[in-house]
Amino acid sequence: MKKSGADMTSSSYSSSNSLKSRAAISGSGTQQVENSLNLDFTPFETIHKWKRMLECDEFVGARRSKHTVVAYKDAIYVFGGDNGKSMLNDLIRFDVKEKSWGRAFSTGIPPAPRYHHSAIVHGSSMFIFGGYTGDIHSNSNLQNKNDLFQYKFKNGFWEEWKFVGRTPVARSAHGAAVYENKLWIYAGYDGNARLNDMWTIPLTGDTRQWEEIEQKGDRPPTCCNFPVAVAREKMYVFSGQSGLQITNALFEFNFQTKTWRRISNEHILRGAPPPPARRYGHTMVHHDRFLYVFGGSADSTLPNDLHCYDLDSQVWSVLMPETDSQVPTGRVFHASAVIADAMYIFGGTVDNNVRSGEMYRFQFSSYPRCTLQDDLGKFLTERQFCDVQFVVGSDEVKITAHVAMIAARSQFLRAKILAAREARSQHFEKIFGTTEVPFAERQMLEVKLPGAVPEAFEMVLNYIYTDRIDFRDPFSNKIVLLMMDIYQLAVQFFIPRLEQVCIQYLEFKISKGNVLDALFNADKMKLIVIKDYCLGFIVKEDNFYDIVMSQDFSGLEKTLMVEVIRKRLNPGKTSIDMKIDKNIGTTLESDMAVFLKTGGEFCDINLVLDGIVIPAHKSILAARCSYFQAMFRSFMPSDNTVNIQIGDISPSREAFNSLLRYIYYGDTKMPPEDSLYLFQAPCFYGFTNNRLQAFCKHNLEHNITFDNVLQILEASDRMNVPDIKNYALRMIVHDFPQVARLPRMRMLTRDLLLDVIMAMADILGDIRVNHQDLISISINSDI
């Protein structure tokens, strides 16, 4: 499966939501247990898998679009919309546990039939605001609304709110959110124009008065038919219909400061995919640290790919569903909601303007994010345990770094470091008569780079550690010139992927206003590729007149003027392809994977596991593990040797190799037996988060079978991993007839047999099982 920017994997294990087991426990004087038991055992769903649910029958509710969907407890509630002929105001319900549709009970007077309204849940009520109502079949009584209705789930009662004071202008296709017990309404369409105003009203207390919000910051353009999502005290708006101003920008509204911010998505600098294409009529939901965007109309197409925005790393990615997924077709004006760790989408308009009554479920992944880039980037910023000093530029600016990281990612700088090490060894030989000088007494390596620009070198260092470039001021006019310096260093240091990032970013940033400066500097620096691109940009039909007639052009060097004229008369072919080829160059993960295997000459610490010495790199261990960072900072062993344990347990060599792969490059692939050893590693070694633990748990849960469940039970009990032990016990009960006949069952300890008996009692509930019958399976045991 293709990984996203969040680096998620999935399991090949899948099963139905509820499984039935047959308990056939027999013996002298026993009562026959029921043949078929619906045990409380729910195997884990395969992540990133689409599954088509039961379609809503026309008898229950019509197929529709432009409706709303909300989640309350274990049910999805659908209200309103249109069926292609008329507007609707029915309320239907889908029970996610029973997987069944039905009409929701209601009393009182419901809202008039409508579509493009909004719906939110607060407490035990659903609130419906605004929308477009009337008879679309006869084209009469059509109007936008600004009414607010409350539906109480507990008794099914509809109530229309009455207000005092000013009210928002009537609207449809707007956004709605809940924050701090208030309903927030944003933008929409009033029948004449698109809006971008914001209103709020308390949903608790006796005050039923609207307040218009004075918005600050970089507000989105007027828009309609967009989704909103609330996460981390903020509201997010993505795309929508904005007339000629339509974009695919993501905007963030801070509820506390009432301030908008347009999120800068410099995906090129982060080596990430671009954001989704501009669209309207799509959905966006929040789960864990992600925003998920599905469907909509994107420039007259109906895409069905699922986009994901990571709020931590601030990058978009496209999630690739499991191969056996039942992926919904593209659609517009559908609706979605989240229950537990899954997203449900219902209805919408599909091809040929057909309304849908389909319900689909998408299983999320909630794994903690990979922190490799963040850990190494933070380590560079803090400059702890630096062992190489670069003397950069004519002013000899001193910039410190870590040998292991530099050697892993640049062959050019690696050679420079080896040369500096050789010079230092010769110095030690001359002064001390030996090269075997203790680590603590060795002076820092020094590498001179007289031709490099210090600021650009700092940016390249950041890329080496994180695979991305972060500008302090991404809107500065100096960025184009700085990027050219970075490109020059990328070529010199032979980092081809960074070269391509620079080229594509320059294409993105070069404009009529800065292209002449870029041309001048590219010529001066002998950057042929960038110079050729600048010439091609200038002579384009849409650019040539404005650039040549500008004041800056008259000050251009005559030789460059001649080249511009010649390029205009004979454009020729563009000599470069500005698209990034993912097959060119290497990533941080791939370089670190190679370095783990081949970086032995740069090792500076010995890890000892059961008498076996495993050389490693202090800076990488310290960057990723607070355990090693504290050790190296406070009580570094004098012999430069560290004995390896995970709590009170010494892991196997294979398990420790899996741990090193995770530390060096974030790898989470390992056999199930390694997962048990490493389950406690994140806590013991002090990783940034429990990502490794989550994958260990996933690996065990999705690879336990009745053949190995007893081994897993014993190991989890021995290593004190209660989550896995409890899961194993549930599976033993679920597959008891098969497990009970395994030879290993007779070898379980007395305590574990009692645990199995207690699990049987807990799960089977009121069913009486003769104690002696259960014990009869453990002949020769010591119970």
Side-chain angles (χ1 to χ4, degrees):
M1 180 182 122
K2 181 180 177 182
K3 293 183 182 180
S4 71
D7 185 30
M8 303 177 195
T9 63
S10 66
S11 166
S12 60
Y13 178 89
S14 63
S15 59
S16 61
N17 283 337
S18 62
L19 298 176
K20 293 185 178 180
S21 177
R22 191 174 296 272
I25 305 172
S26 59
S28 175
T30 63
Q31 178 183 0
Q32 183 70 30
V33 182
E34 292 183 25
N35 286 336
S36 182
L37 299 173
N38 190 4
L39 301 182
D40 183 16
F41 176 77
T42 305
F44 288 72
E45 290 279 354
T46 302
I47 63 172
H48 292 174
K49 183 175 181 178
W50 284 104
K51 185 175 183 180
R52 185 175 180 182
M53 313 303 288
L54 179 68
E55 185 169 347
C56 184
D57 190 275
E58 290 280 351
F59 176 77
V60 175
R63 301 181 178 192
R64 67 192 69 202
S65 68
K66 306 171 191 173
H67 52 287
T68 53
V69 157
V70 299
Y72 179 71
K73 294 188 175 179
D74 292 320
I76 297 290
Y77 290 82
V78 180
F79 176 78
D82 83 85
N83 61 8
K85 297 180 179 179
S86 60
M87 296 185 188
L88 307 170
N89 70 338
D90 56 341
L91 182 63
I92 56 177
R93 180 181 183 273
F94 179 76
D95 188 303
V96 299
K97 285 190 173 181
E98 299 297 329
K99 300 180 181 60
S100 62
W101 284 98
R103 297 177 183 176
F105 174 75
S106 66
T107 61
I109 302 175
R114 64 190 62 203
Y115 64 61
H116 281 330
H117 50 286
S118 61
I120 57 94
V121 170
H122 177 262
S124 59
S125 294
M126 174 177 66
F127 291 86
I128 302 290
F129 174 79
Y132 194 58
T133 187
D135 187 347
I136 56 175
H137 183 68
S138 63
N139 198 30
S140 62
N141 302 319
L142 298 175
Q143 60 177 326
N144 284 303
K145 304 288 286 184
N146 62 353
D147 47 6
L148 179 63
F149 284 81
Q150 179 180 4
Y151 174 80
K152 298 178 181 179
F153 291 108
K154 292 181 179 179
N155 58 16
F157 183 70
W158 282 105
E159 176 192 356
E160 182 177 2
W161 279 34
K162 303 300 180 184
F163 314 116
V164 295
R166 298 174 60 217
T167 58
V169 64
R171 69 192 64 204
S172 57
H174 52 281
V178 176
Y179 179 74
E180 288 191 338
N181 299 317
K182 292 181 178 180
L183 168 64
W184 300 70
I185 298 297
Y186 175 70
Y189 183 66
D190 68 0
N192 295 308
R194 297 181 179 93
L195 311 168
N196 67 348
D197 58 340
M198 183 179 290
W199 294 75
T200 186
I201 187 171
L203 297 177
T204 58
D206 297 328
T207 303
R208 294 189 172 183
Q209 185 170 356
W210 286 97
E211 175 192 358
E212 185 171 9
I213 299 300
E214 183 179 346
Q215 305 168 72
K216 296 177 287 187
D218 188 3
R219 294 167 67 174
T222 56
C223 58
C224 63
N225 288 319
F226 58 92
V228 302
V230 175
R232 302 179 178 183
E233 313 294 313
K234 297 176 177 67
M235 180 175 74
Y236 293 89
V237 170
F238 175 73
S239 200
Q241 284 181 301
S242 303
L244 296 177
Q245 302 180 72
I246 187 169
T247 69
N248 61 344
L250 180 65
F251 288 88
E252 174 190 271
F253 178 75
N254 188 313
F255 286 107
Q256 297 294 326
T257 64
K258 312 294 190 297
T259 303
W260 284 100
R261 178 175 74 95
R262 179 173 177 168
I263 295 179
S264 175
N265 185 56
E266 303 287 0
H267 64 279
I268 298 171
L269 299 181
R270 296 172 181 269
R278 63 182 189 177
R279 63 191 62 205
Y280 66 87
H282 50 296
T283 57
M284 180 169 67
V285 299
H286 165 247
H287 177 70
D288 194 35
R289 67 180 190 274
F290 300 105
L291 302 177
Y292 294 89
V293 172
F294 177 79
S297 177
D299 293 328
S300 302
T301 66
L302 297 178
N304 70 338
D305 46 0
L306 182 61
H307 294 263
C308 168
Y309 181 77
D310 190 325
L311 293 168
D312 288 336
S313 62
Q314 298 181 25
V315 297
W316 286 97
S317 59
V318 179
L319 295 186
M320 302 302 293
E322 277 295 301
T323 53
D324 58 343
S325 287
Q326 299 167 310
V327 182
T329 58
R331 59 198 59 217
V332 65
F333 301 136
H334 52 290
S336 62
V338 174
I339 292 182
D341 56 356
M343 173 178 68
Y344 294 83
I345 70 166
F346 173 71
T349 301
V350 295
D351 286 338
N352 300 318
N353 207 29
V354 174
R355 269 57 173 177
S356 169
E358 300 167 319
M359 173 75 85
Y360 286 88
R361 180 185 191 274
F362 181 79
Q363 179 66 39
F364 291 130
S365 163
S366 297
Y367 295 128
R369 65 191 178 90
C370 180
T371 62
L372 178 66
Q373 295 177 342
D374 293 342
D375 290 343
L376 298 180
K378 181 181 179 183
F379 198 61
L380 172 64
T381 301
E382 294 176 348
R383 292 304 205 274
Q384 293 189 62
F385 313 115
C386 290
D387 49 6
V388 62
Q389 179 174 267
F390 293 95
V391 182
V392 184
S394 56
D395 294 334
E396 296 190 339
V397 176
K398 294 180 179 179
I399 300 173
T400 56
H402 305 90
V403 165
M405 289 303 307
I406 304 301
R409 305 226 58 201
S410 169
Q411 292 298 323
F412 176 87
L413 294 177
R414 182 177 186 149
K416 287 276 189 181
I417 288 171
L418 289 174
R421 178 187 284 182
E422 179 63 27
R424 186 178 66 178
S425 296
Q426 293 176 6
H427 175 72
F428 288 156
E429 183 74 35
K430 182 178 179 180
I431 300 299
F432 304 110
T434 179
T435 60
E436 299 300 323
V437 177
F439 278 101
E441 299 179 22
R442 295 182 183 181
Q443 66 191 51
M444 189 177 293
L445 286 174
E446 187 173 277
V447 175
K448 294 188 176 181
L449 299 171
V453 176
E455 188 178 2
F457 181 73
E458 284 274 21
M459 295 292 182
V460 173
L461 266 187
N462 190 73
Y463 180 86
I464 285 174
Y465 281 69
T466 67
D467 251 5
R468 59 184 181 233
I469 298 175
D470 289 315
F471 290 114
R472 293 185 181 90
D473 182 8
F475 303 103
S476 171
N477 293 328
K478 297 180 180 179
I479 285 185
V480 170
L481 303 183
L482 179 58
M483 202 67 175
M484 293 169 70
D485 290 325
I486 295 172
Y487 173 77
Q488 191 174 41
L489 291 180
V491 173
Q492 181 183 353
F493 297 165
F494 191 64
I495 310 178
R497 194 161 175 264
L498 178 56
E499 292 178 41
Q500 290 204 326
V501 168
C502 293
I503 290 173
Q504 192 176 25
Y505 188 72
L506 286 169
E507 180 197 32
F508 179 68
K509 283 291 186 181
I510 286 176
S511 62
K512 294 178 184 179
N514 61 29
V515 67
L516 294 178
D517 285 338
L519 174 64
F520 174 80
N521 283 276
D523 180 65
K524 183 179 177 181
M525 298 164 67
K526 296 181 171 54
L527 304 180
I528 306 302
V529 172
I530 297 174
K531 178 182 175 180
D532 186 64
Y533 176 75
C534 291
L535 288 171
F537 182 88
I538 293 170
V539 301
K540 284 183 179 178
E541 196 66 40
D542 294 339
N543 302 335
F544 184 73
Y545 180 82
D546 293 337
I547 295 172
V548 171
M549 296 303 291
S550 68
Q551 187 67 32
D552 291 338
F553 187 79
S554 61
L556 194 64
E557 287 187 354
K558 290 184 178 179
T559 54
L560 290 177
M561 284 186 178
V562 171
E563 289 194 57
V564 169
I565 300 302
R566 287 176 175 171
K567 186 74 173 179
R568 173 69 172 178
L569 295 174
N570 185 21
K573 294 183 179 179
T574 303
S575 60
I576 56 173
D577 181 6
M578 307 301 273
K579 302 298 182 184
I580 288 184
D581 184 350
K582 295 292 186 181
N583 297 318
I584 295 179
T586 53
T587 64
L588 174 64
E589 290 81 3
S590 63
D591 283 340
M592 297 304 292
V594 171
F595 191 67
L596 176 60
K597 296 177 181 178
T598 64
E601 61 184 323
F602 297 99
C603 290
D604 53 5
I605 187 73
N606 290 322
L607 307 178
V608 180
L609 178 67
D610 290 336
I612 301 173
V613 176
I614 306 170
H617 306 88
K618 281 195 291 189
S619 58
I620 297 173
L621 296 177
R624 296 279 279 153
C625 312
S626 61
Y627 171 87
F628 286 113
Q629 189 176 125
M631 175 185 291
F632 300 154
R633 185 172 55 239
S634 304
F635 45 93
M636 180 64 202
S638 57
D639 59 356
N640 215 44
T641 298
V642 178
N643 289 310
I644 293 299
Q645 279 194 306
I646 301 176
D648 298 327
I649 299 170
S650 292
S652 67
R653 177 63 188 272
E654 292 76 15
F656 187 67
N657 287 339
S658 294
L659 178 62
L660 282 181
R661 290 195 298 272
Y662 179 80
I663 291 173
Y664 273 70
Y665 56 97
D667 183 53
T668 54
K669 299 182 182 69
M670 64 189 76
E673 52 270 24
D674 288 1
S675 297
L676 268 173
Y677 279 109
L678 301 183
F679 196 82
Q680 305 292 4
C683 298
F684 183 79
Y685 284 110
F687 295 150
T688 302
N689 61 23
N690 65 339
R691 177 178 174 81
L692 178 62
Q693 189 177 56
F695 271 95
C696 288
K697 186 171 184 287
H698 176 278
N699 195 18
L700 288 166
E701 290 170 341
H702 289 75
N703 288 282
I704 297 178
T705 66
F706 75 87
D707 290 317
N708 66 15
V709 66
L710 295 178
Q711 291 94 316
I712 299 296
L713 175 68
E714 291 175 312
S716 60
D717 179 67
R718 184 173 64 254
M719 297 178 187
N720 192 27
V721 186
D723 287 350
I724 300 302
K725 180 180 177 180
N726 291 335
Y727 187 84
L729 285 169
R730 293 201 308 273
M731 189 166 186
I732 289 171
V733 176
H734 178 265
D735 292 325
F736 192 78
Q738 298 98 316
V739 177
R741 291 176 173 82
L742 294 174
R744 197 176 189 93
M745 190 75 176
R746 302 172 181 272
M747 301 168 61
L748 290 183
T749 65
R750 179 179 183 276
D751 288 341
L752 284 179
L753 280 171
L754 288 174
D755 287 336
V756 172
I757 293 172
M758 292 304 298
M760 291 284 289
D762 290 341
I763 295 176
L764 296 180
D766 296 333
I767 297 176
R768 290 182 169 277
V769 180
N770 188 297
H771 190 87
Q772 293 298 323
D773 292 336
L774 291 175
I775 296 178
S776 67
I777 65 171
S778 55
I779 298 172
N780 299 325
S781 73
D782 59 353
I783 288 187

